């Protein structure tokens, strides 16, 4: 699998990129409420960039299983100032939104990536916005809104079905004018995927099938329930999400080794280390810039 792709506005560092998460929400699954305050969210984004994040993903709507939607105005109020300030300070910002209007506002404020967990299904205006702006776009596998998404986690062959549904969504976006070169694909770990059925692991074990779609892959397993389930205690109680950071680093290392384009994580520093180790191992150290762990000559935009 190829980990290096050139996407508009995004760096190519010759290794798996690291996306740090800022959830400007009171109730996200993994870091609920910690960065709801705007100034704290900005500081957190800047700190993650210093720790080695290549992209900072700013979201204002929780997608935890069972979550209800927030209004467009509230979402804009949450993410707008954080996106603007991080972009102003030179950070490559991604906006995690299903709404074309929020994405448009973020792109105008300097965001270089639209991360749409609905893969364009939640808002019919999204494809046109992505086509018009030419912005890079994460198209995630999605079967419905969080309030009832787990009911839709019914598969006979999950790898084939996720592959085919991603391909169909990509075709639909391209039919609306999106350039395939703008698109990043994401299997949507945890979204209509059941930890107890091994859905997430089946997808991770077959990333090569998704790679056949010919687009970069984003892997976002950080602190998710399937890790907590894997690491359940002797009494069967799942491990708490924030105690899954070591497992997340293991996931990052393997994803980077398998050629993932980017990993989306909450605890940046150890994951930034892991992608550098994976790149050094893969290349046998050839062409590595010892100062940053990036391939020489690939550092910029
Ligand atoms: N997961 C969450 C939020 N945004 N974006 C992408 N592209 N892929 C994901 O799997 C994804 C996402 C939910 O996780 P969080 O509440 O821990 O941020």
């Amino acid at each position: 699998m190829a980990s290096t792709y050139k996407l508009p506005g995004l760096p190519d560092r010759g290794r798996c990129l690291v996306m740090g998460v800022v959830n400007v929400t009171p109730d996200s699954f993994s870091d609920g409420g910690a960065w709801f305050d705007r100034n704290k969210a900005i500081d957190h984004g800047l700190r993650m960039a210093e720790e080695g994040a290549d992209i900072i993903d700013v979201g204002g709507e929780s997608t935890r299983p069972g979550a209800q939607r927030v209004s467009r105005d509230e979402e804009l109020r949450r993410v707008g100032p954080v996106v603007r300030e991080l972009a102003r300070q030179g950070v490559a910002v991604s906006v995690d939104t299903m709404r074309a209007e929020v994405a448009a506002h973020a792109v105008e404020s300097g965001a270089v990536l639209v991360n749409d967990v609905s893969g364009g299904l939640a808002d019919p205006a999204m494809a046109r916005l992505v086509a018009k702006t030419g912005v890079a776009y994460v198209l995630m596998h999605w079967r419905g809104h969080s309030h009832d998404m787990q009911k839709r986690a019914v598969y006979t062959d999950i790898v084939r079905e996720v592959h085919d549904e991603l391909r169909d969504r990509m075709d639909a976006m391209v039919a609306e004018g999106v350039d395939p070169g703008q698109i990043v694909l994401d299997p949507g770990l945890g979204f209509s995927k059941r930890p107890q059925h091994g859905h997430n692991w089946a997808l991770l074990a077959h990333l090569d099938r998704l790679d056949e779609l010919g687009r970069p892959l984003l892997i976002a397993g950080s602190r998710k329930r399937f890790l907590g389930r894997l690491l359940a205690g002797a009494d069967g109680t799942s491990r708490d999400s924030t105690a899954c950071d070591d497992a997340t680093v293991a996931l990052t290392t393997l994803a980077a080794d398998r050629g993932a384009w980017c990993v989306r994580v909450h605890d940046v520093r150890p994951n930034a280390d892991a992608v550098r180790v994976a790149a050094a191992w893969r290349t046998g150290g050839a062409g590595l810039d010892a100062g940053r762990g990036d391939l020489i000559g690939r550092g910029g935009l």
Side-chain angles (χ1 to χ4, degrees), residues 60-83:
E61 184 168 38
S62 169
T63 47
R64 63 181 294 160
Q68 298 296 324
R69 300 211 64 185
V70 297
S71 71
R72 182 206 57 176
D73 288 353
E74 174 61 11
E75 193 185 348
L76 269 175
R77 196 191 64 75
R78 292 179 185 182
V79 299
V82 181
V83 168

Side-chain angles (χ1 to χ4, degrees), residues 23 30 63 96 115 117 138 140 186 191 218 220 224 264 266:
N23 286 319
S30 48
T63 47
D96 187 342
N115 175 21
V117 298
V138 176
M140 198 191 84
D186 178 342
F191 287 79
L218 172 66
K224 286 203 171 154
R264 179 182 181 277
H266 301 86

Side-chain angles (χ1 to χ4, degrees), residues 143-181:
R143 285 188 166 183
H145 285 289
S146 298
H147 66 91
D148 67 352
M149 67 178 172
Q150 293 312 79
K151 279 196 222 147
R152 300 169 208 260
V154 180
Y155 302 92
T156 44
D157 176 346
I158 186 164
V159 178
R160 184 179 52 73
E161 287 166 63
V162 168
H163 170 282
D164 291 357
E165 288 167 37
L166 282 173
R167 181 201 55 208
D168 293 349
R169 286 307 309 148
M170 188 156 64
D171 289 350
M173 299 288 291
V174 170
E176 294 216 48
V178 175
D179 185 322

